[in-house]
Amino acid sequence: MLHNEEWIGNFRFIEYKEWNLEKPSTLVIGFPDTGLVGVIGTSYLANKLGLEEVGGIDSPYLPPIAVIHKGVLRTPIRIFSSNRIGVIYTELTLGADIITALIPAIIDYARIKRFEQIIGLTGIAKPNRLDASELITYYVSTIGKTEIVEKAGARMLENGVLIGPYALLLKEAARRRVPAFVLLTESFLEFPDPEATAAGLTTLSRIVGIELDVGELLQQAEIIRFKARDLMRRATQSFSQMGKDLEYSVPLHM
Amino acid sequence: MSNAFDEFFERLEKRIKMLEREIRKSFEEMFRGFASFPETKMRVPEYSETIEPLYTIRDLGDRIVVYIDLPYLAEGSVDIRFEGRVMHISAKLRESIKLDNWSRRYRGIEVHEYRASIELPIEPKPEKTKIRSRKGIVEITIYK
């Protein structure tokens, strides 16, 4: 099953087959974070687009986990791809020290595979989310105001604080001059939010230029919330360790 | 001569008391540090006929708001009772969810109901408590 493996820092990038990309190509990243928008979204994206599992990431620094999918052994962090879209997805809640080492390795891998842009999909906590009918998707980019993202319906996040893997994704991508966006859809912080995920995915599909029907995601929203209960609980524990509550606060700088 | 001795022992006693206070303070700070260590007890996800829902508590100044995520909730089935500072909540699912559809290890387990006992930061008064539900999320507002 192993076609190729490459060490980047302390992370082993495994490929199950040879895979290459056509232009333009985008890497989408989903980690457990606010409202589990990233995890639910990238999982749905990979399923709906029929992306093939082409590889994975493992490391002696990750917990000793073997993921078993349809009887086949997989790595804790999984890589899916088609010709134009790649997805890196994990349900593992990783500590800040591991995330700090992992994100730069993922960006370096994206450069090696010649992805032209990286998009992080996640949520941003909305205090009165229960009463919100229209959910806004914001974006933060390594290249500032971006027309294609604005045309897709996202608004630039002008002030605020990001904490967690997506904050690091932006900082490290900027340092390496890799175009990267993080899409942040208003969502619950501590409850899985498939509705916010659908809004975020709709914006993402417009940016990438693919057709993606999110109807099934909305239909299955309740069962996804039910299934994601334990994952959300684990992610919430990591929020308090990272000081995620700061994202809720009103920015002081004028 | 005896005055000089008295003064010496008085100063010594003061010095010993000061040292005692410093040692006690250091110990208190040290034990406060231990108390703030994160809890390392493992929490195993439990699945049976009843499961504990996700919930969160917010302090909005004049009121405490508890949000409880109850996907697949059967409308009108939410039951809330207060016992001192503890809020007991139960709610039925619209229909049972068979967990063996997701994993054979859970065969024979069907979830019918949510149940939770939540400790509140204040003792609620029934006349100062409001409950509403929207999209399978129950919001309980307890005015201070």
Side-chain angles (χ1 to χ4, degrees):
Chain A
M1 274 302 281
L2 183 68
H3 168 73
N4 186 34
E5 71 170 28
E6 183 160 356
W7 281 88
I8 302 175
N10 291 315
F11 295 90
R12 189 162 66 106
F13 287 74
I14 300 160
E15 293 181 352
Y16 306 131
K17 58 175 281 189
E18 189 176 351
W19 60 284
N20 292 299
L21 295 158
E22 289 170 10
K23 289 189 176 185
S25 57
T26 304
L27 177 64
V28 185
I29 292 178
F31 283 106
D33 197 52
T34 308
L36 295 182
V37 168
V39 174
I40 299 169
T42 45
S43 167
Y44 185 78
L45 190 69
N47 266 316
K48 197 72 186 168
L49 298 181
L51 303 187
E52 191 181 355
E53 189 161 3
V54 291
I57 308 170
D58 212 340
S59 167
Y61 294 93
L62 293 176
I65 293 175
V67 175
I68 298 134
H69 180 69
K70 292 181 180 169
V72 178
L73 201 61
R74 296 297 188 205
T75 57
I77 304 169
R78 301 165 76 185
I79 305 174
F80 299 83
S81 187
S82 69
N83 293 337
R84 284 187 50 218
I85 292 184
V87 164
I88 292 187
Y89 159 94
T90 187
E91 292 182 14
L92 272 188
T93 307
L94 303 170
D97 49 345
I98 298 171
I99 287 284
T100 305
L102 173 64
I103 294 288
I106 288 177
I107 297 169
D108 286 342
Y109 184 69
R111 284 204 301 190
I112 293 166
K113 295 304 290 184
R114 298 184 188 282
F115 278 104
E116 282 155 291
Q117 60 180 3
I118 303 175
I119 298 183
L121 184 70
T122 188
I124 186 163
K126 181 164 173 57
N128 58 346
R129 166 69 184 94
L130 192 59
D131 295 307
S133 49
E134 188 203 354
L135 299 174
I136 296 171
T137 298
Y138 296 95
Y139 76 94
V140 185
S141 151
T142 54
I143 50 175
K145 193 168 178 168
T146 314
E147 199 181 339
I148 190 166
V149 184
E150 301 233 341
K151 274 189 179 168
R155 295 184 201 170
M156 192 162 78
L157 184 75
E158 293 189 348
N159 295 300
V161 175
L162 295 185
I163 292 162
Y166 296 96
L168 209 62
L169 171 67
L170 285 169
K171 289 199 292 184
E172 292 296 328
R175 205 158 75 86
R176 288 165 166 75
R177 298 175 196 281
V178 173
F181 311 95
V182 171
L183 297 178
L184 306 129
T185 305
E186 292 176 330
S187 73
F188 290 109
L189 175 65
E190 305 111 317
F191 296 160
D193 200 333
E195 201 184 335
T197 308
L201 277 177
T202 303
T203 307
L204 183 137
S205 65
R206 288 184 198 135
I207 296 168
V208 179
I210 52 165
E211 280 199 18
L212 183 72
D213 178 10
V214 293
E216 205 178 321
L217 177 62
L218 293 168
Q219 275 170 16
Q220 294 178 357
E222 283 193 290
I223 213 75
I224 292 168
R225 278 163 57 195
F226 185 91
K227 282 173 88 171
R229 199 177 57 105
D230 293 322
L231 178 56
M232 187 77 252
R233 198 168 268 145
R234 282 201 308 276
T236 306
Q237 282 166 6
S238 76
F239 293 168
S240 56
Q241 286 160 12
M242 282 192 283
K244 192 89 179 156
D245 52 330
L246 190 63
E247 279 187 6
Y248 252 116
S249 55
V250 177
L252 183 64
H253 183 66
M254 306 297 281
Chain B
M1 187 69 181
S2 81
N3 272 353
F5 268 118
D6 287 346
E7 275 174 26
F8 170 77
F9 280 111
E10 211 172 293
R11 278 205 308 275
L12 188 67
E13 204 175 332
K14 272 186 185 170
R15 183 80 187 139
I16 289 169
K17 278 186 178 166
M18 203 172 80
L19 274 171
E20 272 179 4
R21 275 200 301 274
E22 280 176 11
I23 290 168
R24 200 178 301 127
K25 201 176 152 191
S26 301
F27 266 90
E28 279 170 9
E29 277 172 9
M30 192 170 79
F31 283 108
R32 255 205 307 277
F34 283 148
S36 67
F37 279 173
E39 199 184 333
T40 52
K41 205 175 102 185
M42 185 172 72
R43 185 185 165 132
V44 180
E46 297 288 351
Y47 285 98
S48 67
E49 307 78 46
T50 60
I51 57 165
E52 189 188 29
L54 290 172
Y55 62 86
T56 183
I57 303 173
R58 299 256 187 273
D59 189 338
L60 301 183
D62 67 330
R63 59 200 188 274
I64 300 288
V65 185
V66 185
Y67 295 98
I68 307 169
D69 192 24
L70 302 168
Y72 240 64
L73 172 72
E75 284 301 323
S77 73
V78 179
D79 180 42
I80 295 169
R81 286 177 297 110
F82 295 102
E83 204 175 272
R85 281 191 177 193
V86 179
M87 179 174 76
H88 302 281
I89 177 160
S90 67
K92 297 248 184 296
L93 270 68
R94 273 204 302 282
E95 53 188 81
S96 305
I97 294 179
K98 287 183 185 175
L99 300 186
D100 60 359
N101 291 340
W102 304 332
S103 171
R104 269 190 224 164
R105 284 190 299 127
Y106 293 109
R107 65 190 178 280
I109 300 177
E110 282 187 35
V111 182
H112 307 284
E113 191 180 32
Y114 292 107
R115 264 180 197 273
S117 294
I118 302 166
E119 193 162 344
L120 303 168
I122 56 165
E123 193 162 328
K125 295 182 182 113
E127 69 279 9
K128 286 186 163 185
T129 302
K130 278 185 183 172
I131 299 163
R132 71 168 178 141
S133 136
R134 196 175 144 92
K135 296 178 185 175
I137 291 173
V138 171
E139 181 193 73
I140 301 140
T141 307
I142 303 155
Y143 288 89
K144 290 179 182 173

